[in-house]
Amino acid sequence: MKSSHIDEARLFLAEHFNKHEPLLQTPGIQLPKASPDPKRREYHESVIRQGCSLIVVDQSNDDRIVGVAYAGVLNASELEQNWLELSEKRRTQPMEHIEYFLCNIKRNARLFQQYGVTDALYLKMIAVDSSMRRQGLGRRLVTALIDVGRTKGFPLLVATCTGLYSTRLMASLGMECVHSEDYVAFKDEDGNVVLKPPAPHTKASVMALKL
């Protein structure tokens, strides 16, 4: 993926990731906007410039994007700093809880201590066009990302799978479950369960593969 793809890729993810991602199916949640604020867009561009994100295009249809693997560097110190900032904030909105949950589960996995590394290639999002699923595109994206990680010298590929199907996909490609957490165990200050994705998605799992 190149910076020139960012607008099309963002619209693609809004349609084919946000509307299907298990955590974002929690009742009452407001889906993220397809057009982020300038600061968020700048962050997306910085990730893309790392040269690790991939796209699948339909060459028979003007190179329309039909698959995205949005990936970038996961650094131990940056993860800890991000967690500290999020843990200090009072969370009142579902998206704030989701952001904290995803950061916290990566921290709880203790990836860097377990594997003895300081950074990893992190698969942030993967999505395939809804009309082209069950054709192996997701598998091809992850397989290609593994090759990218090895070529760039990353010691580890990591993904946080929030649903059953993505967990099965990563496991079938040799990734191991390092840590998992049940959604019913994640509660707000009043003891209410916050994350309620539809069945059969009951937990999130941090998956990893040594490269």
Side-chain angles (χ1 to χ4, degrees):
M1 186 189 299
K2 300 177 182 178
S3 295
S4 58
H5 296 127
I6 188 170
D7 291 322
E8 184 183 355
R10 188 176 66 245
L11 292 173
F12 175 86
L13 290 170
E15 179 66 27
H16 300 285
F17 179 83
N18 293 353
K19 292 183 178 180
H20 303 275
E21 206 287 324
L23 285 184
L24 297 180
Q25 307 313 304
T26 294
I29 198 168
Q30 183 176 0
L31 293 179
K33 295 179 180 179
S35 299
D37 59 59
K39 185 176 181 181
R40 192 67 179 170
R41 180 189 173 87
E42 182 180 344
Y43 169 74
H44 290 325
E45 289 184 342
S46 71
V47 172
I48 291 173
R49 284 196 296 269
Q50 293 174 5
C52 300
S53 297
L54 305 174
I55 56 174
V56 179
V57 299
D58 183 356
Q59 294 180 325
S60 66
N61 190 6
D62 297 325
D63 285 345
R64 179 177 67 91
I65 292 177
V66 294
V68 169
Y70 179 56
V73 180
L74 178 66
N75 180 273
S77 59
E78 291 178 359
L79 175 61
E80 186 66 18
Q81 181 61 37
N82 189 26
W83 181 84
L84 288 172
E85 293 173 357
L86 292 173
S87 62
E88 292 175 353
K89 295 180 180 179
R90 185 172 184 273
R91 297 177 293 278
T92 59
Q93 301 300 318
M95 286 304 300
E96 294 173 339
H97 286 290
I98 289 175
E99 187 176 16
Y100 173 79
F101 175 85
L102 293 175
C103 181
N104 190 56
I105 192 174
K106 291 196 292 287
R107 183 175 185 267
N108 290 344
R110 298 179 61 81
L111 291 160
F112 303 105
Q113 296 91 331
Q114 180 169 333
Y115 289 96
V117 300
T118 57
D119 56 28
L121 177 57
Y122 184 60
L123 176 56
K124 299 172 180 286
M125 288 184 281
I126 182 170
V128 171
D129 190 296
S130 303
S131 66
M132 301 186 70
R133 291 180 179 171
R134 298 187 179 181
Q135 297 183 35
L137 294 183
R139 175 177 289 272
R140 289 175 63 186
L141 273 168
V142 179
T143 300
L145 188 61
I146 291 172
D147 291 338
V148 169
R150 287 173 174 157
T151 298
K152 290 183 174 292
F154 285 99
L156 196 67
L157 173 66
V158 178
T160 301
C161 298
T162 57
L164 178 63
Y165 307 131
S166 59
T167 304
R168 286 177 175 174
L169 171 62
M170 301 307 167
S172 71
L173 290 167
M175 299 185 76
E176 63 175 339
C177 179
V178 181
H179 178 71
S180 63
E181 295 183 11
D182 295 329
Y183 292 130
V184 294
F186 185 70
K187 301 178 180 180
D188 61 18
E189 295 176 350
D190 298 321
N192 301 310
V193 175
V194 177
L195 307 177
K196 302 177 181 179
H201 312 296
T202 60
K203 63 182 179 180
S205 300
V206 178
M207 310 290 288
L209 176 70
K210 292 179 68 174
L211 302 177

